[in-house]
Amino acid sequence: MKKMHSLLRAMVAFALCCSMLTGAAIAAGTAKGESGIMPLASLYTDRAYSEKSGAWQSVKFTATSGSGDYIRYWFGNETNEKCVVSLYQTNRTPEPKRVSYMYVGGDENKSMVYYDRTAGGGTYYILIEAIQSGGLIDGDVSVAQYATNPG
């Protein structure tokens, strides 16, 4: 019985040591101020849908100063219409300025990363335009902020 009790205590101690080492390895693998591959801030997520106008525009959203200068935007196109997805910055110039854009084919998911040393304090919006026929826009759009290039 004593042997069984000693064996049980040894197994519990081993399990505790393993869990502490795993936690230390996870903490050591992340840079200061980061949480691994996750964004520091999710800035905007919505369903982009426009039936007739051929364009869809998000509301304005603001990046958090100090949370990084990399802005990744993503669009999951659920139509067969080729689109151009543009990121506009509104707080640096009197008129909104397109700072980045990407083409997204029909039934395609794509993301783009915008970097500027002052991007973390910017106010933005997304504009999606159906460039083939000016028709339907349908898909999910998301924007996040990172301290390092998310690649």
Side-chain angles (χ1 to χ4, degrees):
M1 184 64 132
K2 279 187 173 185
K3 287 183 181 182
M4 182 73 109
H5 190 353
S6 294
L7 181 62
L8 184 59
R9 283 195 327 197
M11 288 174 38
V12 169
F14 178 74
L16 287 172
C17 285
C18 287
S19 67
M20 287 189 303
L21 289 173
T22 302
I26 291 170
T30 58
K32 182 180 177 186
E34 288 185 60
S35 57
I37 61 169
M38 298 301 293
L40 290 181
S42 177
L43 301 177
Y44 182 80
T45 300
D46 200 359
R47 182 76 179 178
Y49 185 82
S50 176
E51 213 171 290
K52 298 179 182 173
S53 69
W56 177 88
Q57 182 176 320
S58 74
V59 297
K60 291 180 183 177
F61 51 88
T62 302
T64 305
S65 187
S67 290
D69 293 320
Y70 292 90
I71 309 295
R72 174 191 269 177
Y73 57 104
W74 173 86
F75 180 57
N77 190 355
E78 295 186 12
T79 71
N80 59 3
E81 180 84 26
K82 184 177 181 180
C83 296
V84 62
V85 181
S86 302
L87 178 68
Y88 281 84
Q89 190 171 24
T90 64
N91 64 317
R92 302 274 189 239
T93 58
E95 294 295 317
K97 178 182 178 187
R98 184 165 81 167
V99 294
S100 181
Y101 68 94
M102 65 180 170
Y103 292 100
V104 181
D107 298 311
E108 182 180 43
N109 299 311
K110 195 169 180 183
S111 69
M112 178 69 73
V113 176
Y114 166 67
Y115 171 80
D116 184 88
R117 62 182 178 82
T118 61
T123 300
Y124 304 91
Y125 67 85
I126 295 286
L127 177 66
I128 302 172
E129 299 169 281
I131 56 176
Q132 285 178 318
S133 68
L136 178 66
I137 292 173
D138 190 11
D140 294 312
V141 63
S142 184
V143 184
Q145 181 178 4
Y146 297 79
T148 59
N149 190 344

